[in-house]
Structures are given as structure tokens and as C-alpha cells.
Amino acid sequence: MNFKIMKFDIIIQCRFGSKRFRGKILYNFDNGSFLDYLCENLKKNLKINNIILATPSDNFTKIFEQVAKKNNVKHFFSKSIKENDLLKRYYLCAKKFKSENIIRITSDCPFINPEIIKKMMSFYKKNKLQFLTNNRPRYVPHGFDCEIINKNLLKKTYLKARSNFEKEHVTPWIYKNFFNKKNNLKILEKNLSKYRLTLDYEKDYINFKRNIVSLRKISLNKNFEKYLIKELSE
């Protein structure tokens, strides 16, 4: 494969009905929502074929359609997919948009720095991989997780996965049946896995609102590791 023309799509899994903190990604943050913040940062700083919001088909579908339109990104949903079958959602989304290499990001990780994704794309291309993660073993904070999956491996995973757990979390089948150490990229030198930058609970929302300046530094600057250590250690 000629990696110079390798194409990447970002598929962001989104839903309104989080059990822990309902509607969390649409809460206000920095003159928009958390999801707006994520889309804008990715669009501005990455050369990507498509950015796609992949959502369930439910009473909130139109809200995500509006978010996608506002941010000039794509939107995917299908009435044939159960809300918890994320694997099918990813596979059919990638199939519809003819995605070749899928970058998987979750919408409750709005502060992932694009430099992490750039490093992973470069490593993935250089080593001609089918799968890459940055958290086996984990050095990045919770909220900086990212995976890249080739379309053929995603299809194989979709066809082979059997358990509800494998379907709800997209990549467990890959970790069980395909993963080895070449499929992990250690992004950070220092282990920052004890820190959390993911939006799970209302207390996270309150904390993030109080620390907008620090989160901008962490999520927007190229020298993100320096800011992670400085801002999170204070």
C-alpha cells in the first residue's frame, strides 16, 4: 500500500443518553458545547478525509444533525442498529463513507490533542499497520485514548465478534485475537495514566468549566506533553 495516499476518517461515537451523565457532550463549554470544541479542534489541526459523528437513531438524532451541520462534519445513523451495538455502528458508518482507515475517538474525550493523532497516523502509515492504539500499556491520561483500524480488519471484527461486550466496545475482539506489541504506540515518556480528562460525571463538567484556560493549553498546543505535566500536576 502506498502510504502517501492513505486516507483517514475520524468516526466519533456520540449519544445523548449516557447513564452516568445524560446529555454531557452537549453541555456548554468555551462558547459552544464539548462536542463543538472537539470537532473544531480536529478540523482545524488535522488533514482528514472525513470527520463523522456516528449516533444512535433515537429522539436526539436531529440534535446531532444540527451539531454536524454547524461544524461542517458528516453525520451517520441507522434505524437498523441497536444503540449499544457500537461495532455495527462503526462498521456500517465506515462502509457508507468508504472509509479506508478509521480513527476512533469517543465524544466524551473532547480534549484529545491533535498532535497525538498526527503521531499515531504517521506511525501507522510508516509501519503499514492494520491497527494501532495508544493505551496498551496506558501512559496517556484517560481522555487521550485513540485507535486506528483498517477497514478490512474492522470488517473481520464485525463478522467474527460474538459477545455483547465485543459489540458494545468495538475493539475487544481485536485485542483478543489480533493485537501484539507492534500495535501500540507509547506517546508519552512520563506515565500520566492516573489523570482523567474524560467527561463522565457532573463533577468532571464542573471541574472542566473551572479550568478552561488549562484545558485549552493541553488540547491546543503542539507541545502538549509539557502542558499535560505542568497543568495536571498543579
Side-chain angles (χ1 to χ4, degrees):
M1 182 182 293
N2 185 351
F3 66 75
K4 291 183 179 179
I5 58 171
M6 191 179 288
K7 293 182 180 180
F8 292 84
D9 285 352
I10 293 176
I11 299 180
I12 306 172
Q13 63 189 61
C14 310
R15 65 173 180 168
F16 188 91
S18 169
K19 293 179 181 178
R20 292 189 290 262
F21 186 21
R22 188 172 174 83
K24 58 188 180 181
I25 59 175
L26 300 177
Y27 271 61
N28 181 264
F29 181 81
D30 200 23
N31 299 316
S33 69
F34 285 97
L35 186 54
D36 291 327
Y37 186 90
L38 175 60
C39 289
E40 182 179 355
N41 196 16
L42 296 177
K43 278 184 56 188
K44 184 168 61 177
N45 292 293
L46 292 174
K47 294 181 179 179
I48 295 293
N49 192 43
N50 288 304
I51 297 176
I52 310 155
L53 306 183
T55 72
S57 176
D58 57 22
N59 294 332
F60 306 101
T61 301
K62 289 187 177 180
I63 294 176
F64 288 109
E65 284 182 346
Q66 293 169 359
V67 173
K69 184 176 181 180
K70 174 184 176 182
N71 290 283
N72 195 26
V73 300
K74 309 293 187 183
H75 179 224
F76 171 84
F77 68 96
S78 172
K79 293 180 180 180
S80 68
I81 306 173
K82 294 179 180 178
E83 180 176 348
N84 290 331
D85 195 342
L86 279 174
L87 178 56
K88 186 174 183 179
R89 195 191 310 172
Y90 263 83
Y91 172 68
L92 292 184
C93 178
K95 186 177 180 180
K96 176 179 178 179
F97 288 96
K98 296 181 171 60
S99 303
E100 296 179 6
N101 300 282
I102 298 94
I103 299 172
R104 179 177 177 236
I105 297 173
T106 61
S107 57
D108 54 6
C109 298
F111 307 116
I112 184 169
N113 191 297
E115 292 301 315
I116 283 182
I117 302 170
K118 288 179 185 177
K119 288 176 183 288
M120 292 184 67
M121 289 169 61
S122 177
F123 187 86
Y124 180 94
K125 291 188 289 187
K126 181 179 179 180
N127 292 280
K128 300 179 181 179
L129 297 175
Q130 287 190 290
F131 179 70
L132 184 63
T133 185
N134 64 3
N135 61 22
R136 292 292 196 283
R138 173 181 292 279
Y139 267 63
V140 296
H142 294 266
F144 269 33
D145 303 71
C146 179
E147 296 165 329
I148 306 178
I149 314 164
N150 176 266
K151 65 177 182 179
N152 295 323
L153 181 58
L154 181 62
K155 181 178 180 179
K156 184 176 183 179
T157 304
Y158 172 70
L159 295 174
K160 294 283 188 178
R162 292 290 180 265
S163 72
N164 289 335
F165 182 79
E166 289 172 338
K167 295 177 181 180
E168 289 173 6
H169 299 280
V170 183
T171 52
W173 187 91
I174 294 175
Y175 286 110
K176 182 179 179 181
N177 298 281
F178 183 85
F179 176 83
N180 62 53
K181 63 181 182 180
K182 74 177 182 180
N183 300 114
N184 182 75
L185 178 60
K186 182 182 174 184
I187 297 285
L188 304 177
E189 290 301 318
K190 187 173 181 178
N191 189 337
L192 300 178
S193 59
K194 68 179 181 180
Y195 296 109
R196 294 184 72 260
L197 287 168
T198 183
L199 182 62
D200 277 335
Y201 304 99
E202 187 175 1
K203 65 181 180 181
D204 297 322
Y205 168 67
I206 294 169
N207 181 52
F208 294 157
K209 288 284 284 184
R210 289 172 177 167
N211 293 282
I212 290 177
V213 173
S214 293
L215 290 166
R216 283 200 199 108
K217 291 178 182 178
I218 289 169
S219 59
L220 302 177
N221 283 275
K222 289 186 177 182
N223 195 358
F224 62 91
E225 186 166 1
K226 178 186 77 173
Y227 285 106
L228 274 171
I229 295 170
K230 181 178 184 297
E231 301 296 329
L232 294 180
S233 299
E234 290 180 350

